[in-house]
Amino acid sequence: MEAFKIVKKIPGPKLDVKHGIIDLSHGAGGRATARLVEQLFEVEFDNALIKQHNDAACFSLSSGRYVMTCDAHVISPLFFPGGDIGCLSVYGTVNDLAMMGAKPLYLTAAFILEEGFAFSDLKRIVQSMAKAARRAQVVIVAGDTKVVEKGKGDGVFITTTGVGIVPEGVDISGDKAQTGDDVIVNGYIGDHGIAIMSHRENIQFDTTLLSDTAPLNDLVAKMTEAVPKLHCLRDPTRGGLATTLNELAKQSNVGFMIDENKIPVREEVTSACELLGLDPLYVANEGKLVAICPSEFTETLLTVMRNHPLGKEAAVIGKVIADSKEFVQLKTKFGGMRIVDWLTGEQLPRIC
Amino acid sequence: MEAFKIVKKIPGPKLDVKHGIIDLSHGAGGRATARLVEQLFEVEFDNALIKQHNDAACFSLSSGRYVMTCDAHVISPLFFPGGDIGCLSVYGTVNDLAMMGAKPLYLTAAFILEEGFAFSDLKRIVQSMAKAARRAQVVIVAGDTKVVEKGKGDGVFITTTGVGIVPEGVDISGDKAQTGDDVIVNGYIGDHGIAIMSHRENIQFDTTLLSDTAPLNDLVAKMTEAVPKLHCLRDPTRGGLATTLNELAKQSNVGFMIDENKIPVREEVTSACELLGLDPLYVANEGKLVAICPSEFTETLLTVMRNHPLGKEAAVIGKVIADSKEFVQLKTKFGGMRIVDWLTGEQLPRIC
């Protein structure tokens, strides 16, 4: 019976969020992990589902069409102008669900932490995720925390997975683009990638260029409400607008004729691209979408988009054309014509 | 028009799976990523949902109660006796869903790859995942691939997220243990952790000790079919049996009285634990579960479990007792009594 005296059963001290750091015990699944989850993750993500304390969150769903997707986030630096890995990891998955026309419902978040990572940075990131989830009206229902030795990770990697429901009558897919459809974007291209690259390369602008990271689900809900027959939606993240258009061309077996003059690009982005030797068409976005719309609905769609804070600069940038070779063609600013290929190589490592 | 001649639109060479390695371009979201996804992931995970090529997989669900959970896997080494990070990442999430009594349906898988990682190793891991998914009867519907620079990761980390449906009438939760309930395990404790540690420490046994990594959903389906009123299920992974029992005690506000003599532990595991200074109660398992069962159903449950390949050594190891202090008490082999606390510290880093 001696053990009763020896082994104490104390809940343990509070996390020292200000000065503490992650050590391997926080990934061991024992008391330190439980304390981290209770005192940090559950406090910030505060909702009934995450507090069920079971191996999985349980919720009711009505019958219907659902979508599911995941995104690993390894962006460097973790904090950047306009956002951080936390909000990015929420919006990244929310947007992938929204690109199916779905209303995002539930998210999970798995953290791979590097030994030595500061609690204060982790808290800032988790708070940013919580705020982003509220903004996007999704609930983070479950999570996981693993820790790797110093030098085997890089601060924190966050993988989010989401589930959403597709409204009745909405049927959006990358294989539905048809000849004659209009190609629309909701605003300036290249902000995210250039904000990150400028930060890395220490390039200064007159005004601070911010990442466009934002949840697109509310904009999409209004778009599909107004135009349920929308054909395709896709967010031009890694690989940029050029790669997204190539993906859609391949999926739908069509071509695109894009007018460079009509693509909204900020002056700062154009200048920075020139300086860095980048093409804005290949630069990542985190709050942009490409919509492929039957032309009879284009005006309706543009009106709805321009009335939304995330679609004020919406613009028609081109047309879907018949092309069995699935080329993305660009009328350049100077009146020339070129083919815009898929991104090859790696111009912007760890951009999301 | 000159670009037509310059820019070729060739699908590109086949992946050299035998000699090739991951470089940063495979995480850039452009052509190299597309090629990796098409030629490796889609070939192995072969199913209609993953080939939709959209931002999210779309499927129909009937109305009901669903569960969702995620697990990041950072195990080292990636290949170990009895398994690898691939099958582990599938079974880990499948089992978390099963511990809610659910039938696992869909999984996503996000890969964080380190620059320089061999395609051949990746292929082996992905094939193992595909095989594991078939065995567990789940479908991997979506994925993501990111690449970090050499020295910022460790080969590959895999986060899987799963969704499952809870059958009508099943209501399993960690807060439902009641005084008088029996505590049952489905077999030998500690195999996974000791298999990994022995491999790392190069300890030899007469026979090869294998990880117990396995999908528990089929066993659970048979258990809940026979005993729908089962109270709790939990898989004692990180932190081992000791931590799992402490979690359940806390959640249900009860105590446990466990009989050490009744806990199935292999001789090799006992010896290795002595050698390594470990306690089998804290060693991770990947194919084990703890079931808390109203005693009137215990015999029925044991019969069903022992008829299943993954429950042949099922045993009652103790009882739920009233205890507002939520202690897990152990009658030791030598007739003493001790309290089994939560795992503190980190005895086995990166065990899953």
Side-chain angles (χ1 to χ4, degrees):
Chain A
M1 295 281 201
E2 68 291 353
F4 277 92
K5 289 169 221 146
I6 297 165
V7 184
K8 285 161 287 178
K9 176 92 180 176
I10 300 170
K14 283 198 90 170
L15 279 188
D16 181 0
V17 175
K18 212 163 164 188
H19 307 101
I21 56 169
I22 291 290
D23 63 46
L24 289 172
S25 77
H26 294 106
R31 179 161 289 184
T33 309
R35 210 176 286 152
L36 181 68
V37 169
E38 276 182 27
Q39 293 185 33
L40 187 70
F41 293 107
E42 287 186 6
V43 169
E44 301 300 340
F45 293 153
D46 191 27
N47 65 71
L49 284 166
I50 209 167
K51 286 185 174 165
Q52 290 175 345
H53 291 147
N54 284 321
D55 280 339
C58 188
F59 44 76
S60 292
L61 295 177
S62 53
S63 68
R65 281 174 307 141
Y66 287 83
V67 290
M68 186 176 185
T69 193
C70 68
D71 252 322
H73 296 86
V74 299
I75 193 164
S76 174
L78 298 173
F79 303 96
F80 50 81
D84 54 64
I85 192 172
C87 62
L88 188 77
S89 71
V90 170
Y91 297 150
T93 291
V94 160
N95 290 350
D96 279 347
L97 297 173
M99 293 309 114
M100 301 293 288
K103 174 182 158 60
L105 300 170
Y106 301 116
L107 251 58
T108 62
F111 296 80
I112 297 174
L113 297 157
E114 187 188 9
E115 188 184 8
F117 191 59
F119 281 156
S120 55
D121 282 342
L122 183 58
K123 184 172 180 172
R124 209 175 134 196
I125 288 165
V126 172
Q127 283 179 329
S128 169
M129 291 179 80
K131 192 175 159 196
R134 284 191 297 272
R135 181 171 171 203
Q137 293 189 278
V138 291
V139 183
I140 298 173
V141 297
D144 188 32
T145 310
K146 294 284 157 65
V147 178
V148 295
E149 305 90 335
K150 207 163 174 59
K152 301 287 184 186
D154 194 15
V156 59
F157 303 140
I158 306 175
T159 297
T160 51
T161 304
V163 164
I165 184 163
V166 183
E168 286 263 356
V170 172
D171 186 15
I172 288 168
S173 176
D175 59 3
K176 298 185 73 182
Q178 285 177 25
T179 306
D181 285 355
D182 284 313
V183 181
I184 299 163
V185 295
N186 65 318
Y188 294 113
I189 290 299
D191 291 3
H192 175 75
I194 295 303
I196 306 298
M197 289 306 288
S198 308
H199 190 70
R200 284 190 202 158
E201 307 283 331
N202 205 17
I203 297 172
Q204 308 281 330
F205 301 106
D206 291 342
T207 53
T208 309
L209 182 68
L210 302 178
S211 162
D212 60 347
T213 180
L216 294 169
N217 51 326
D218 186 62
L219 172 63
V220 167
K222 294 195 164 64
M223 289 166 67
T224 54
E225 217 177 276
V227 183
K229 295 209 180 306
L230 199 61
H231 283 160
C232 319
L233 285 173
R234 186 143 309 171
D235 52 342
T237 54
R238 285 184 296 177
L241 181 63
T243 302
T244 291
L245 290 173
N246 272 283
E247 283 172 18
L248 293 172
K250 191 178 167 212
Q251 238 180 305
S252 290
N253 188 28
V254 295
F256 286 105
M257 181 61 71
I258 304 296
D259 188 341
E260 192 172 16
N261 275 312
K262 294 191 177 159
I263 304 175
V265 186
R266 288 182 208 277
E267 222 174 285
E268 304 95 291
V269 170
T270 307
S271 324
C273 278
E274 280 169 13
L275 202 66
L276 295 163
L278 299 172
D279 181 339
L281 292 178
Y282 292 95
V283 173
N285 309 275
E286 288 292 341
K288 292 299 168 310
L289 58 79
V290 177
I292 309 291
C293 184
S295 56
E296 65 263 41
F297 302 121
T298 299
E299 275 315 306
T300 309
L301 192 68
L302 279 176
T303 306
V304 167
M305 291 176 78
R306 288 174 180 159
N307 277 330
H308 194 280
L310 295 175
K312 277 187 282 186
E313 288 87 15
V316 178
I317 62 165
K319 281 252 170 222
V320 178
I321 57 172
D323 182 356
S324 63
K325 294 195 203 75
E326 300 159 359
F327 283 147
V328 178
Q329 298 184 51
L330 187 78
K331 281 184 222 165
T332 69
K333 282 182 188 163
F334 313 104
M337 191 77 97
R338 67 177 174 102
I339 288 195
V340 176
D341 201 4
W342 294 66
L343 171 68
T344 49
E346 167 62 274
Q347 53 166 229
L348 304 167
R350 296 180 63 187
I351 207 73
C352 63
Chain B
M1 295 281 201
E2 68 290 353
F4 277 92
K5 288 169 221 147
I6 297 165
V7 184
K8 284 162 286 176
K9 176 95 181 174
I10 301 170
K14 282 197 92 170
L15 277 189
D16 180 1
V17 175
K18 211 164 166 188
H19 307 101
I21 57 169
I22 291 290
D23 62 46
L24 289 171
S25 76
H26 295 105
R31 179 162 289 185
T33 309
R35 210 176 286 152
L36 181 67
V37 169
E38 278 183 25
Q39 293 186 32
L40 187 69
F41 293 106
E42 287 186 6
V43 169
E44 300 301 340
F45 293 155
D46 191 26
N47 65 72
L49 285 167
I50 209 168
K51 286 185 175 166
Q52 290 174 344
H53 291 146
N54 285 321
D55 281 338
C58 188
F59 43 76
S60 292
L61 295 177
S62 54
S63 69
R65 281 173 307 141
Y66 287 82
V67 291
M68 186 175 184
T69 193
C70 68
D71 253 321
H73 296 85
V74 299
I75 193 163
S76 173
L78 298 173
F79 303 96
F80 50 81
D84 54 64
I85 192 172
C87 62
L88 188 77
S89 71
V90 171
Y91 298 150
T93 290
V94 160
N95 290 350
D96 279 347
L97 298 172
M99 294 308 115
M100 302 293 288
K103 175 182 158 58
L105 300 171
Y106 300 117
L107 251 57
T108 62
F111 296 79
I112 297 174
L113 298 157
E114 187 188 10
E115 188 185 8
F117 191 61
F119 282 157
S120 56
D121 282 342
L122 183 59
K123 184 170 181 173
R124 208 174 135 197
I125 289 165
V126 172
Q127 283 180 327
S128 171
M129 292 180 79
K131 191 176 161 197
R134 284 192 296 272
R135 182 172 169 202
Q137 294 189 278
V138 291
V139 183
I140 298 174
V141 297
D144 189 32
T145 310
K146 294 283 156 67
V147 179
V148 294
E149 306 89 335
K150 206 163 174 62
K152 301 288 183 185
D154 195 15
V156 59
F157 303 140
I158 305 176
T159 297
T160 51
T161 303
V163 164
I165 184 164
V166 183
E168 287 264 355
V170 172
D171 186 14
I172 288 168
S173 176
D175 60 2
K176 299 186 74 180
Q178 285 178 25
T179 305
D181 285 355
D182 284 313
V183 181
I184 299 163
V185 295
N186 65 318
Y188 294 113
I189 291 297
D191 291 3
H192 175 75
I194 295 304
I196 306 297
M197 289 306 288
S198 308
H199 191 69
R200 283 190 203 158
E201 307 284 330
N202 206 16
I203 297 172
Q204 307 280 333
F205 302 105
D206 290 343
T207 52
T208 309
L209 181 67
L210 302 178
S211 163
D212 60 347
T213 181
L216 295 169
N217 50 327
D218 187 61
L219 171 64
V220 167
K222 295 198 163 63
M223 289 166 67
T224 54
E225 215 177 276
V227 184
K229 295 210 180 304
L230 199 61
H231 284 160
C232 319
L233 286 172
R234 188 145 307 174
D235 52 342
T237 53
R238 284 185 296 177
L241 182 61
T243 302
T244 291
L245 291 173
N246 272 284
E247 283 172 17
L248 293 172
K250 191 179 168 212
Q251 238 180 304
S252 291
N253 187 29
V254 295
F256 286 105
M257 181 61 72
I258 303 296
D259 189 342
E260 192 172 15
N261 274 313
K262 295 190 176 159
I263 303 174
V265 186
R266 287 181 208 276
E267 222 174 284
E268 304 96 290
V269 170
T270 307
S271 326
C273 277
E274 280 169 12
L275 202 66
L276 296 163
L278 299 172
D279 181 339
L281 292 179
Y282 292 95
V283 174
N285 309 277
E286 289 292 341
K288 292 299 169 311
L289 58 81
V290 178
I292 310 291
C293 183
S295 57
E296 66 263 40
F297 302 121
T298 300
E299 276 315 307
T300 309
L301 192 69
L302 278 176
T303 306
V304 168
M305 290 176 77
R306 287 173 180 158
N307 277 330
H308 193 279
L310 295 175
K312 276 187 282 185
E313 288 87 15
V316 178
I317 62 165
K319 280 253 170 221
V320 178
I321 57 173
D323 183 354
S324 63
K325 293 196 204 74
E326 301 160 356
F327 282 148
V328 177
Q329 298 184 51
L330 187 79
K331 281 185 223 166
T332 69
K333 281 183 188 162
F334 313 105
M337 190 78 96
R338 67 177 174 102
I339 289 196
V340 177
D341 201 4
W342 295 66
L343 170 68
T344 49
E346 167 61 274
Q347 51 166 231
L348 304 168
R350 298 180 60 187
I351 208 71
C352 62

